[in-house]
Amino acid sequence: MSAALPSNCSDSRPAIAATIAPLVASGACIDVRAALAWASEVGFRGVQISALEPGLRPRDLSASARRDFAGTLARHELQCAGIDFFLPPAHLT
């Protein structure tokens, strides 16, 4: 659940967000676009994405790809509630 999602009285959906990382994790049979469509259909206002997933890594996204992702979120009436970026403890030492 994310407190960062704005409260909009004309939007009847609850102000909660779902993380799509488990849906697009390695070996899963769903891509990012399908996960976003699912989140919208289920009734979430926002999604939490993972910066470590192929196709969503910042170094993999060109300016055009970022605009496309933002457009995809808008078409599904979703907001990006947050970005997961987990680092293995060994990388911090």
Side-chain angles (χ1 to χ4, degrees):
M1 190 157 136
S2 175
L5 293 174
S7 173
N8 183 348
C9 59
S10 65
D11 194 341
S12 62
R13 298 176 297 171
I16 58 174
T19 184
I20 63 170
L23 297 174
V24 296
S26 301
C29 297
I30 187 169
D31 66 357
V32 173
R33 291 181 185 273
L36 295 175
W38 171 83
S40 178
E41 290 170 13
V42 172
F44 290 106
R45 278 198 215 178
V47 291
Q48 182 99 359
I49 62 172
S50 172
L52 301 178
E53 287 298 322
L56 290 177
R57 294 179 183 137
R59 68 174 175 252
D60 297 342
L61 294 175
S62 64
S64 175
R66 288 184 188 107
R67 283 190 301 273
D68 181 58
F69 184 71
T72 302
L73 285 173
R75 280 190 295 282
H76 289 295
E77 298 180 339
L78 293 169
Q79 297 173 357
C80 182
I83 301 172
D84 293 331
F85 186 74
F86 296 108
L87 296 173
H91 290 186
L92 300 174
T93 57

